[in-house]
Amino acid sequence: MAQDFWGRVKIANRRCIRHRRYWFTDVHARGKYPQHMLNYFERRGFELDITQDDLAALKQGCIDYISFSHYMSFATKATDNNPLLDYDESKSLVSNPYIQKSDWGLQIDPVACVIH
């Protein structure tokens, strides 16, 4: 039972991190900012300097193809005062003791690119 719970927590955490880290592809592929990021910007007090013409240009300029290269992983630490997992890379990223590091200190995770 506890394993099922922690499995669900792990999936939710990965999904949240993906939303925070890789949202920019939504802008390019869908032509708009995802609502969860607009909500995040509002919570953090960020004011976007964006016009209706800018939004129209984004909508018209969607890309046809996305490619990526996966070469390293990130891990974050949970804190009691951050239930929405709004993380700051300068403070929240931690080393994952379960994966290897390259000679340059990058964490190498051969199974990190999993889509749930």
Side-chain angles (χ1 to χ4, degrees):
M1 187 67 95
Q3 187 176 14
D4 289 342
F5 170 76
W6 288 113
R8 289 192 305 272
V9 168
K10 185 177 178 181
I11 289 170
N13 189 33
R14 282 185 182 172
R15 192 171 290 147
C16 187
I17 289 169
R18 270 200 320 264
H19 282 184
R20 294 291 185 272
R21 189 167 185 82
Y22 302 114
W23 60 271
F24 56 88
T25 55
D26 287 345
V27 177
H28 296 295
R30 296 182 175 149
K32 63 181 183 177
Y33 286 86
Q35 188 60 50
H36 65 86
M37 286 309 298
L38 294 174
N39 296 344
Y40 171 74
F41 295 152
E42 185 177 338
R43 282 195 310 272
R44 298 293 297 256
F46 301 153
E47 294 185 25
L48 301 180
D49 182 18
I50 219 168
T51 67
Q52 289 302 317
D53 289 339
D54 294 333
L55 295 174
L58 283 175
K59 198 67 161 165
Q60 292 173 345
C62 294
I63 60 173
D64 297 324
Y65 176 78
I66 296 175
S67 175
F68 68 95
S69 175
H70 174 76
Y71 58 93
M72 64 183 198
S73 286
F74 294 95
T76 59
K77 61 183 173 185
T79 58
D80 292 336
N81 64 349
N82 190 7
L84 296 174
L85 297 175
D86 291 343
Y87 72 96
D88 177 343
E89 287 190 27
S90 66
K91 298 175 187 171
S92 305
L93 295 182
V94 295
S95 182
N96 183 342
Y98 302 104
I99 60 176
Q100 296 178 346
K101 288 185 180 181
S102 72
D103 293 340
W104 301 283
L106 302 176
Q107 296 191 307
I108 304 166
D109 187 352
V111 294
C113 193
V114 176
I115 298 177
H116 295 277

